[in-house]
Amino acid sequence: MLNTMSTSAHPRPGSRTRGRPRDPELRERILDAAATLAMTAGIELGFERIAQEAGASRTTLYRWWDSPQELLLDAMLERTRWSLDHDSEGTAAARLRAQVIDAVEILSAPDTGRPLRALAAGALTNEKVRASFIEHWLEPRRAVAARILEDGMITGEFRQDLDVEAVIDALFSPIYHRLLLTRMPLGRSFGETLWNLVEPGLSPS
Amino acid sequence: MLNTMSTSAHPRPGSRTRGRPRDPELRERILDAAATLAMTAGIELGFERIAQEAGASRTTLYRWWDSPQELLLDAMLERTRWSLDHDSEGTAAARLRAQVIDAVEILSAPDTGRPLRALAAGALTNEKVRASFIEHWLEPRRAVAARILEDGMITGEFRQDLDVEAVIDALFSPIYHRLLLTRMPLGRSFGETLWNLVEPGLSPS
Amino acid sequence: MLNTMSTSAHPRPGSRTRGRPRDPELRERILDAAATLAMTAGIELGFERIAQEAGASRTTLYRWWDSPQELLLDAMLERTRWSLDHDSEGTAAARLRAQVIDAVEILSAPDTGRPLRALAAGALTNEKVRASFIEHWLEPRRAVAARILEDGMITGEFRQDLDVEAVIDALFSPIYHRLLLTRMPLGRSFGETLWNLVEPGLSPS
Amino acid sequence: MLNTMSTSAHPRPGSRTRGRPRDPELRERILDAAATLAMTAGIELGFERIAQEAGASRTTLYRWWDSPQELLLDAMLERTRWSLDHDSEGTAAARLRAQVIDAVEILSAPDTGRPLRALAAGALTNEKVRASFIEHWLEPRRAVAARILEDGMITGEFRQDLDVEAVIDALFSPIYHRLLLTRMPLGRSFGETLWNLVEPGLSPS
DNA sequence: TTCTAAGCGAGACGGTACGTCCCGTCTTGAC
DNA sequence: GTCAAGACGGGACGTACCGTCTCGCTTAGAA
């Protein structure tokens, strides 16, 4: 439950030290190139460009990833591992609120928000990308929130009959919506507004 | 608020009756083809396929639309004009609730949900498509909800200090989120759950 | 029997004047490029290079030819149409001898010999190229010789029991052999030597 | 004049017995694989396939041969050493005739003819292969015929002014021509026809 | 025994060309 | 002016080999 390194593209555990070992520096260059391109240029992410930018051969990218988006997902996962750590102190409400604000922050920062757009675009186009995106990006983050909600429900801080998934949707999908589609202002205050709006629905009685 | 017919692709007003008139049946065939393809096949929507499916020439499509997604948007707008009509009777809460449930219904129906996915994918890739999608699809629907919310705020049924845009986000973006990304169950009951969750945040005191 | 224009790549007779007409100048540029490349550079003939050299798009080449060698064959056929004309005066022996010497001349000239090597290499690798090469290059030339031989057999100038195909092989294949494999000297005198060697086997009694 | 083992790929004489000795069985497997592939599959001979077929590593092939065709040539040379032995009894004419018929037999047998095609294709594409093919395949065979011709010229059985190379070309190149290009019937009777055709040109007076 | 040179398999890597697909533009004739 | 047909340039795709390389393991004579 800790690691969550990557979706693929790591030395297979079975094949210990046979043949020329993979060049780890190269891998980094590739991930960097993808992240950079996804941030600066638009959505048009292709193996061609990434390879060029990274000074790598296109063939090498094809060896390790099935699509540019999966590559980018790997890059994003490595660069945002911290965002899954969360405080376990304080009330469930405080912790959940903090997570909402964290999410706003991550999605509004250009170096994560922009790549995430590219990722989401890929997820809409390519079923495999969608699966990876959900499994490695969305799901882990939802799980953190779900855990907090369940805690709160057990301690009586929240209502017992909450639909956990729906609550998570209400709290976080607006952020993605603004990032991906409407591009309405996405700042800390939006996170707070959102929380204040949904919070009354969580309390008992 | 009346028209909202189309984004483009209608006989230019300036060019009154010179030369061969546009074939209206052909236009229908093209829109149908786009809608059908967007529903059945995947996201891969292109002029090539649409033209083939419609028995039209690629040139014709290029004459009238800038991208397949804008074409599809036209098709969708014509086929869902009804969804903007809304009852003006009853409490603001009831009317808003009804709109949420309507939205769930539209987005979960295959013949509208699937094309919408294609549309959203296009919006993420192509800036112009995004603008059209927001202007002709999202915004009119948000405006309806905004009107209801403002009504409720005036009559005192809702709190005075609501952030209208945020409320709309909280109520509707989860539906798009499920349609586009998570594909979690999207049925009438989800709309109700969602409403019940957010509604407490709307009431005064 | 006159034309022998090309193997393919000519406007299909059925499709009269619909759509943009083919650019004939472009076709010439492409054939020229292929002939030039086949003469100067080595055997490595690819659509990529030809397109580049001709200032054409690779796609265009693919539209009209199945392989670079078939393209080259087209170029060769257009540039050597004269070589099928032959004198119909004089004894059969004299005419046949002249054809042998013509063949030596054609195959030893760099601008025909070199491309022919490339063509033969293609014929060995690609079954379809081989078929075209035989049908459009070898066979017409063999037919001319066959005709002369049959004439001579009828008039009694040659033996009646000649195996026409074998005679042609004996007279012409040595030339191809020197061109393609051994690269031994290939000049007019070789043609004469060859003729003098085989001629005794043709005469009656 | 006897050995004619191989073109390369034999333990270098300089490096006497240091390090792990070469695996001779492996070498056989590789040569077999090449011969088999050249016979069954088409012309497309590559290190990749051969290695796979032989259960060897690509690296190993690269260590010993410069190209798949040179490898194949080695295989062919080992498998046809017998064909250079020839009877030294009888008239020069009889011996030469026998060699022609032997050649037809070798080239028409699938397990030698097909690989020879691949070899010839390689010779047309790759200058180094061509050199090897001539030096180790064609030249030794031509030398045998040249020897017989010279014998015959000395004894007066043949004309004194023969162009030995041209005679050899006339007698043997038709066989290669049929094998490589025209694929016309290639049987013992063709050899006889060929001989009967050229023989008159060899006799004195 | 240890050392060391070579054989060998596995596999990473850069590279080139391939053949295909779709795009967007254009040119033509017919209506 | 609309429409169908189709040529054309262009870009990216995913694949197949190629030739080189860097490893670790093995083999066997030499120190």
Side-chain angles (χ1 to χ4, degrees):
Chain A
M1 185 133 296
L2 279 184
N3 79 336
T4 323
M5 290 271 306
S6 155
T7 66
S8 60
H10 271 282
R12 289 70 171 272
S15 63
R16 279 262 161 234
T17 59
R18 277 293 280 252
R20 179 174 174 175
R22 183 167 182 194
D23 180 347
E25 190 194 333
L26 177 63
R27 182 172 184 273
E28 278 314 307
R29 280 210 320 269
I30 292 171
L31 295 183
D32 280 350
T36 304
L37 281 175
M39 186 178 54
T40 59
I43 298 285
E44 270 66 26
L45 201 55
F47 277 140
E48 192 94 40
R49 281 174 203 270
I50 300 177
Q52 186 136 16
E53 174 83 8
S57 169
R58 212 154 50 85
T59 351
T60 301
L61 306 204
Y62 278 105
R63 202 188 332 274
W64 295 107
W65 293 278
D66 282 344
S67 67
Q69 287 79 20
E70 289 170 282
L71 195 170
L72 179 58
L73 178 55
D74 265 13
M76 295 302 294
L77 292 177
E78 294 210 351
R79 277 150 188 72
T80 54
R81 248 174 283 163
W82 62 270
S83 69
L84 283 175
D85 303 334
H86 62 288
D87 216 352
S88 52
E89 313 260 319
T91 64
R95 288 190 282 151
L96 196 52
R97 198 187 107 111
Q99 214 210 347
V100 169
I101 290 179
D102 271 9
V104 168
E105 228 114 68
I106 291 178
L107 298 202
S108 63
D111 63 344
T112 39
R114 309 262 233 154
L116 264 171
R117 261 188 229 153
L119 229 42
L124 287 187
T125 316
N126 178 329
E127 202 56 24
K128 218 185 143 204
V129 171
R130 195 179 68 87
S132 280
F133 180 63
I134 292 178
E135 182 184 351
H136 295 97
W137 181 267
L138 289 183
E139 202 39 63
R141 282 157 179 83
R142 295 180 73 97
V144 171
R147 186 68 207 281
I148 301 176
L149 275 167
E150 281 154 10
D151 281 356
M153 285 164 71
I154 290 171
T155 62
E157 191 180 337
F158 294 149
R159 302 173 49 165
Q160 312 283 336
D161 61 346
L162 289 178
D163 180 328
V164 173
E165 302 294 350
V167 173
I168 294 174
D169 282 343
L171 282 174
F172 296 94
S173 60
I175 309 175
Y176 286 93
H177 200 68
R178 291 203 162 183
L179 171 71
L180 300 177
L181 291 173
T182 66
R183 303 259 179 100
M184 287 173 138
L186 193 52
R188 180 188 191 87
S189 69
F190 177 63
E192 288 163 356
T193 305
L194 208 49
W195 170 255
N196 292 335
L197 187 61
V198 176
E199 190 271 333
L202 307 181
S203 315
S205 92
Chain B
M1 186 133 293
L2 281 183
N3 77 336
T4 325
M5 289 267 312
S6 157
T7 66
S8 60
H10 273 281
R12 285 75 168 263
S15 65
R16 287 253 164 231
T17 59
R18 272 280 285 225
R20 176 172 174 176
R22 182 167 184 193
D23 180 347
E25 190 194 335
L26 178 61
R27 180 170 186 273
E28 277 315 305
R29 280 213 318 271
I30 292 171
L31 294 183
D32 280 350
T36 305
L37 281 174
M39 186 178 54
T40 57
I43 299 286
E44 272 69 24
L45 204 54
F47 277 142
E48 193 97 36
R49 284 174 202 272
I50 299 176
Q52 182 135 21
E53 175 83 8
S57 166
R58 225 153 43 84
T59 329
T60 303
L61 273 55
Y62 275 105
R63 194 189 338 271
W64 298 107
W65 294 276
D66 282 345
S67 66
Q69 287 80 18
E70 289 171 282
L71 194 168
L72 178 59
L73 178 55
D74 264 14
M76 294 304 293
L77 291 177
E78 294 210 351
R79 279 155 186 68
T80 55
R81 251 174 283 161
W82 61 271
S83 68
L84 284 176
D85 303 334
H86 62 288
D87 215 351
S88 53
E89 313 261 319
T91 64
R95 287 191 283 151
L96 196 52
R97 196 188 110 113
Q99 213 208 348
V100 170
I101 291 183
D102 271 8
V104 167
E105 228 112 69
I106 292 178
L107 299 202
S108 62
D111 61 345
T112 38
R114 309 265 228 147
L116 265 171
R117 263 187 226 153
L119 230 41
L124 287 186
T125 317
N126 179 330
E127 201 57 24
K128 216 184 145 204
V129 170
R130 195 179 68 87
S132 279
F133 180 64
I134 291 178
E135 181 185 350
H136 295 97
W137 181 268
L138 289 184
E139 201 41 63
R141 283 160 179 80
R142 294 181 73 97
V144 171
R147 186 69 206 283
I148 301 175
L149 276 166
E150 281 153 9
D151 280 357
M153 286 164 72
I154 291 171
T155 61
E157 192 181 334
F158 295 149
R159 304 172 48 163
Q160 312 284 335
D161 62 345
L162 287 179
D163 179 330
V164 174
E165 302 295 350
V167 174
I168 295 175
D169 283 342
L171 280 175
F172 295 94
S173 61
I175 310 176
Y176 287 93
H177 201 67
R178 291 204 164 183
L179 171 70
L180 300 177
L181 290 173
T182 66
R183 304 257 178 103
M184 285 173 143
L186 191 54
R188 179 188 194 85
S189 70
F190 177 62
E192 289 163 356
T193 306
L194 207 51
W195 171 255
N196 292 336
L197 188 60
V198 176
E199 190 271 335
L202 306 182
S203 316
S205 90
Chain C
M1 183 132 298
L2 279 183
N3 81 337
T4 324
M5 292 266 310
S6 157
T7 65
S8 59
H10 270 283
R12 288 73 170 266
S15 64
R16 279 265 159 227
T17 60
R18 275 294 278 249
R20 177 174 177 175
R22 183 167 184 192
D23 180 347
E25 189 193 334
L26 177 62
R27 181 170 184 273
E28 278 315 307
R29 281 212 320 269
I30 292 171
L31 294 183
D32 280 350
T36 304
L37 281 175
M39 186 179 52
T40 58
I43 298 285
E44 269 68 25
L45 201 55
F47 277 140
E48 193 95 38
R49 281 175 204 271
I50 300 176
Q52 185 137 18
E53 176 82 7
S57 168
R58 212 152 51 84
T59 345
T60 300
L61 306 203
Y62 277 106
R63 200 189 333 275
W64 296 107
W65 294 277
D66 282 345
S67 66
Q69 287 80 19
E70 288 170 282
L71 194 170
L72 179 59
L73 178 55
D74 265 13
M76 295 303 293
L77 291 177
E78 294 209 352
R79 278 152 188 69
T80 55
R81 248 174 285 163
W82 61 271
S83 68
L84 283 176
D85 303 335
H86 62 288
D87 215 352
S88 53
E89 313 261 318
T91 64
R95 288 189 283 151
L96 196 52
R97 196 187 110 110
Q99 213 207 349
V100 170
I101 292 182
D102 271 8
V104 168
E105 228 111 70
I106 291 178
L107 298 203
S108 62
D111 62 345
T112 39
R114 309 262 232 154
L116 265 172
R117 261 187 228 154
L119 230 39
L124 288 187
T125 317
N126 179 330
E127 201 56 25
K128 221 186 140 202
V129 170
R130 195 179 68 87
S132 279
F133 180 63
I134 291 178
E135 182 185 350
H136 295 97
W137 181 268
L138 290 183
E139 203 38 63
R141 283 159 180 80
R142 293 182 73 99
V144 171
R147 187 67 207 284
I148 301 175
L149 276 166
E150 281 154 10
D151 280 358
M153 286 164 70
I154 290 172
T155 62
E157 191 180 338
F158 295 147
R159 304 173 46 167
Q160 312 284 336
D161 63 344
L162 289 179
D163 179 329
V164 174
E165 302 295 348
V167 174
I168 295 174
D169 283 343
L171 281 174
F172 295 94
S173 61
I175 311 176
Y176 286 94
H177 200 68
R178 290 205 164 183
L179 172 70
L180 300 177
L181 291 174
T182 65
R183 304 256 179 103
M184 284 173 142
L186 191 53
R188 180 188 193 84
S189 69
F190 177 62
E192 288 163 356
T193 307
L194 208 50
W195 170 255
N196 292 335
L197 188 61
V198 175
E199 189 271 336
L202 307 181
S203 315
S205 86
Chain D
M1 184 130 301
L2 277 186
N3 81 335
T4 325
M5 287 272 306
S6 156
T7 66
S8 59
H10 273 281
R12 286 74 170 267
S15 65
R16 286 255 165 232
T17 58
R18 271 284 282 226
R20 177 174 173 175
R22 182 167 184 193
D23 180 346
E25 189 193 335
L26 178 63
R27 180 171 185 274
E28 277 315 306
R29 279 210 323 268
I30 292 171
L31 294 182
D32 280 349
T36 304
L37 280 175
M39 187 179 51
T40 58
I43 298 287
E44 272 68 26
L45 203 54
F47 277 142
E48 193 97 38
R49 284 174 202 271
I50 300 176
Q52 183 135 19
E53 175 82 8
S57 165
R58 236 167 74 251
T59 328
T60 302
L61 305 202
Y62 275 104
R63 197 191 333 274
W64 298 107
W65 293 277
D66 281 345
S67 68
Q69 287 80 18
E70 289 171 282
L71 194 169
L72 178 59
L73 178 55
D74 266 13
M76 294 303 295
L77 291 176
E78 294 209 350
R79 278 154 188 69
T80 55
R81 248 173 287 164
W82 61 271
S83 68
L84 283 175
D85 303 335
H86 62 288
D87 216 353
S88 53
E89 313 262 318
T91 65
R95 287 190 284 150
L96 197 51
R97 196 187 109 110
Q99 215 208 347
V100 170
I101 291 179
D102 270 9
V104 167
E105 228 114 68
I106 291 178
L107 298 202
S108 63
D111 62 344
T112 38
R114 311 266 225 139
L116 264 171
R117 263 187 228 155
L119 230 41
L124 286 186
T125 316
N126 179 328
E127 202 56 26
K128 217 184 144 204
V129 169
R130 196 180 67 88
S132 279
F133 180 62
I134 291 177
E135 181 185 352
H136 295 97
W137 181 268
L138 288 184
E139 203 39 65
R141 282 158 181 81
R142 293 180 74 96
V144 170
R147 186 67 207 282
I148 300 175
L149 275 166
E150 281 154 10
D151 281 357
M153 284 164 73
I154 290 171
T155 61
E157 190 180 338
F158 294 149
R159 301 172 49 162
Q160 310 283 336
D161 62 346
L162 288 179
D163 179 328
V164 173
E165 302 296 349
V167 174
I168 294 175
D169 282 342
L171 282 174
F172 295 93
S173 60
I175 310 176
Y176 287 93
H177 201 67
R178 293 205 162 184
L179 171 70
L180 300 178
L181 290 174
T182 67
R183 305 257 178 101
M184 286 173 138
L186 193 52
R188 180 190 192 85
S189 70
F190 177 63
E192 288 163 355
T193 305
L194 208 50
W195 170 254
N196 292 335
L197 188 61
V198 176
E199 190 270 334
L202 307 181
S203 315
S205 92

